[in-house]
Amino acid sequence: MLSTTIFLPLLAAALLALPQLGGRTARWIWVSAAAADLALVVVMWLGYGGGIGYEERLRWIPSVGAGYHVGVDGLSLPLIALTAVLFLACAIYPLNEKQRPRSYAALFLFLQTVSTGLFAALDLLLFFVFFDLSIVGMYFVIVGWGHGDRARSALKFFLYTFLGSLALLLGFIGLYLGGDPRTFDIVELTRNPPQAGALVLLAVAVGLAVKTPTVPFHTWLPPAHTDAPAAGSAILAGVLLKMGTYGFARIAMPLLPGPWRQYAWLIVIVGVVSVLYGALVALAQENIKRLIAYTSVNHMGYIVLAFGAAGLAAGNAQARQMAITGAVTQMVSHGLITGALFLLTGVLWDRARSYDLGRFGGIAAGARTFTLMTAVAAFASLGLPGLSGFIAEFQIFAGVIGTGLPGAVVAGGLSIIGILITAALLLRVLQKAFLGPPGELPVSETQPREVASVAPLLVLSLIIGILPRWLLDLIEPFSAALVAWVGR
């Protein structure tokens, strides 16, 4: 079933190559394939019994110990579910896309297979193949359907993330050479961590930090988001950024426990810097899409901070486990909320061809549904209780500070300032563009397809915020295992 879930979108993309298919048919094939994939994920979630589920193995390159090995656990299943939800939302959102709709749909279906495959991969080489293919797919989305200086932004995105992937490949080779026996199998390497040191961790961490993105490797992110189409930005922020943080939890921490503990304080510092830098730079933005892009740097910084705190072996183990649970919850929450925010900025671009905050005003008077959805997404992003952001960030802060180490307490305290700054900047956007006097650019009400794509993301954020246990029960066993692996 897992391989069917991975490759069903790719089969649908291949179907779109039939020359007699029209644009309208292509769009509905896209929606149907994404909906079917989500249904498969729901069935997998309901049938999941703990440990590594739905495991599948095939021979691929046996001479180097690499194979097609996939499976799901408490880390990968929530992210695969997030992927299915977001891609369905992005299939519904551009139902009126008139610019080469078949190619557009095929690219997103290709990206869905790549993303699902990466989160299911239990082999380093398989992970790397999906990691690199995601770069290629998003490059063509930005350069083909973006706006503004899209060619330059796409090229910058490609070069940065491709160089990061090369560093990652070097790290994977180091893990392979340090293994005994030598293999690329992640499950085997988790059981018997390779004899690898700081240089291997540096290569793996740089590769993943570029993708996350973490300061100072984040500079490709704002232009890529600004010039990408709305659905492309939603997938880039909601799914592709998670590939970096997922790699930290799946590969860097369990396979390099000694170096991770040794450099845990450095990782904590990088997390705090990303939190504060992302929030402060977002506060200075007048371009709404760049503003949201920088809040992603801020929110992903919370995850890096939590992973760093989990490596502080002297800290309370239960608190470190809570920090990891919060980090994984943050991956899901950020995907839902930021995906919704980027789709909503697409409404601004469709109506006014601008993201300039100073040119909008009084939107609430004529677009109440649009205003309501934006307000809910903004409040979820700033961590208001009752929404998913609060559940994630509360656990991260409680876990980091709960380690009981003075340095971690200071780091947690400084990071909480990031919440105050993001609250200020998001409320500034709501006040200026939605509640203030009429602006230069009018914005009409949302269309049914826009509501149908954004509203489910916000409802899911609300459900996680009020009833999070169904998600936390899935994540917590993995968190406990990860703390044990890092502590070896």
Side-chain angles (χ1 to χ4, degrees):
M1 175 180 282
L2 181 54
S3 290
T4 304
T5 306
I6 295 170
F7 292 107
L8 175 64
L10 192 61
L11 287 175
L15 185 63
L16 294 179
L18 295 175
Q20 62 269 35
L21 284 180
R24 180 180 174 81
T25 306
R27 288 190 285 268
W28 283 108
I29 287 176
W30 180 13
V31 173
S32 302
D37 217 48
L38 177 58
L40 287 172
V41 174
V42 170
V43 171
M44 278 203 305
W45 189 302
L46 295 175
Y48 176 69
I52 297 178
Y54 304 100
E55 196 171 8
E56 295 173 19
R57 290 174 182 267
L58 284 174
R59 286 166 61 86
W60 181 27
I61 315 176
S63 58
V64 296
Y68 175 80
H69 186 189
V70 293
V72 297
D73 61 7
L75 173 64
S76 52
L77 191 51
L79 292 173
I80 289 173
L82 169 70
T83 300
V85 169
L86 263 182
F87 271 94
L88 178 57
C90 291
I92 294 169
Y93 184 86
L95 276 176
N96 64 345
E97 175 66 45
K98 293 181 174 59
Q99 184 184 358
R100 291 164 285 145
R102 281 200 307 167
S103 304
Y104 193 63
L107 259 180
F108 273 83
L109 288 165
F110 168 77
L111 272 171
Q112 185 168 1
T113 283
V114 167
S115 303
T116 309
L118 181 140
F119 293 133
L122 293 175
D123 182 277
L124 290 175
L125 274 189
L126 190 62
F127 178 96
F128 180 78
V129 168
F130 286 129
F131 191 90
D132 256 13
L133 290 177
S134 72
I135 300 170
V136 176
M138 185 52 66
Y139 168 80
F140 283 112
V141 167
I142 298 172
V143 78
W145 286 267
H147 40 258
D149 198 358
R150 60 188 182 186
R152 182 183 175 86
S153 298
L155 183 61
K156 190 171 184 179
F157 159 78
F158 185 89
L159 290 177
Y160 265 70
T161 51
F162 188 67
L163 285 172
S165 76
L166 293 180
L168 191 64
L169 181 61
L170 284 175
F172 286 177
I173 292 172
L175 290 171
Y176 170 76
L177 295 176
D180 184 20
R182 289 180 175 175
T183 177
F184 284 100
D185 190 278
I186 294 175
V187 175
E188 181 59 36
L189 290 171
T190 302
R191 285 197 201 103
N192 303 296
Q195 296 299 313
L199 283 178
V200 175
L201 175 62
L202 177 66
V204 172
V206 167
L208 297 174
V210 172
K211 194 81 167 185
T212 296
T214 299
V215 175
F217 304 108
H218 66 286
T219 54
W220 61 267
L221 183 72
H225 272 309
T226 304
D227 295 332
S233 290
I235 293 302
L236 180 59
V239 178
L240 266 59
L241 301 192
K242 309 302 173 302
M243 294 177 178
T245 50
Y246 174 84
F248 281 118
R250 173 66 68 202
I251 297 167
M253 296 174 72
L255 271 55
L256 294 160
W260 190 268
R261 290 196 306 274
Q262 187 178 355
Y263 293 96
W265 282 114
L266 179 60
I267 297 162
V268 166
I269 292 170
V270 170
V272 173
V273 170
S274 296
V275 165
L276 295 177
Y277 177 86
L280 288 170
V281 178
L283 186 62
Q285 300 302 312
E286 285 297 315
N287 182 305
I288 297 174
K289 220 175 176 190
R290 287 180 71 90
L291 181 151
I292 297 170
Y294 276 109
T295 64
S296 289
V297 177
N298 161 265
H299 283 98
M300 302 307 279
Y302 293 129
I303 300 172
V304 175
L305 167 67
F307 286 159
L312 302 174
N316 180 279
Q318 191 175 1
R320 290 187 285 134
Q321 181 181 327
M322 185 187 295
I324 293 173
T325 301
V328 179
T329 308
Q330 176 78 331
M331 291 188 216
V332 176
S333 173
H334 179 265
L336 294 172
I337 297 166
T338 309
L341 281 170
F342 276 123
L343 291 178
L344 288 167
T345 61
V347 175
L348 294 177
W349 182 260
D350 285 345
R351 308 295 193 276
R353 289 292 187 263
S354 175
Y355 300 121
D356 189 345
L357 179 60
R359 301 178 70 189
F360 293 105
I363 294 174
R368 293 185 178 180
T369 304
F370 178 49
T371 302
L372 175 64
M373 291 195 296
T374 306
V376 172
F379 285 128
S381 183
L382 60 86
L384 194 75
L387 294 159
S388 58
F390 174 77
I391 300 297
E393 290 167 13
F394 171 77
Q395 291 184 99
I396 290 173
F397 294 132
V400 172
I401 296 173
T403 58
L405 303 173
V409 174
V410 172
L414 287 173
S415 297
I416 287 177
I417 297 173
I419 290 185
L420 296 176
I421 300 171
T422 52
L425 68 92
L426 289 170
L427 291 175
R428 171 172 161 260
V429 171
L430 289 176
Q431 176 64 38
K432 196 167 184 178
F434 290 84
L435 304 176
E440 174 190 345
L441 300 174
V443 177
S444 58
E445 185 57 285
T446 45
Q447 299 173 6
R449 63 176 177 81
E450 292 163 340
V451 176
S453 60
V454 174
L457 305 180
L458 301 177
V459 169
L460 275 172
S461 175
L462 185 65
I463 292 173
I464 294 172
I466 297 173
L467 301 168
R469 184 42 56 189
W470 58 277
L471 177 61
L472 301 182
D473 282 345
L474 183 65
I475 298 171
E476 284 173 352
F478 170 80
S479 303
L482 187 55
V483 167
W485 289 329
V486 172
R488 288 175 293 183

